[in-house]
């Protein structure tokens, strides 16, 4: 995916099918900040991370119950940052 405009926030949805420990992480050269919301809500914040992954990437490891979750990605530099990144959810 890509942050194409400064200040852009990308939102992704995934479904946790079973109660388990999930890892949500980004990869790439872009300095991103990630927030995890849910279950079933885009406003109930579960966790937030800036540089917990490799380099400037974000990583959240959290126990989730079944349901829909939302991940928001934005560039660290909200006034001028752009760039490509990838996002992955695993358990």
């Amino acid at each position: 995916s890509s942050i194409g405009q400064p200040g852009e926030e990308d939102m992704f949805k995934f479904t946790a099918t079973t109660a388990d420990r999930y890892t949500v992480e980004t990869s790439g050269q872009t300095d991103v900040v990630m927030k995890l919301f849910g279950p079933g809500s885009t406003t109930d914040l579960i966790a937030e991370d800036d540089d917990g992954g490799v380099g400037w990437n974000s990583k959240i490891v959290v126990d989730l119950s079944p349901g829909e979750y939302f991940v928001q990605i934005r560039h660290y530099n909200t006034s001028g940052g752009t760039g490509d990144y990838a996002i992955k959810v695993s358990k």
Side-chain angles (χ1 to χ4, degrees):
S1 200
S2 179
I3 303 293
Q5 299 290 323
E8 178 181 318
E9 295 178 348
D10 296 341
M11 186 74 79
F12 299 92
K13 177 174 73 170
F14 73 94
T15 300
T17 55
T18 59
D20 211 329
R21 176 161 289 187
Y22 289 80
T23 300
V24 185
E25 58 190 324
T26 63
S27 60
Q29 298 299 311
T30 303
D31 189 359
V32 295
V33 177
M34 176 169 54
K35 292 182 180 181
L36 175 64
F37 299 95
S41 170
T42 58
T43 57
D44 289 339
L45 182 65
I46 296 171
E48 180 175 2
D49 184 71
D50 182 7
D51 294 333
V54 176
W56 288 333
N57 288 287
S58 299
K59 182 176 182 178
I60 295 173
V61 179
V62 64
D63 293 326
L64 299 177
S65 57
E68 287 188 339
Y69 293 87
F70 300 88
V71 180
Q72 179 194 71
I73 304 290
R74 69 169 176 81
H75 197 284
Y76 176 80
N77 178 355
T78 57
S79 64
T82 62
D84 297 332
Y85 65 92
I87 184 170
K88 178 175 83 169
V89 178
S90 58
K91 62 177 182 171

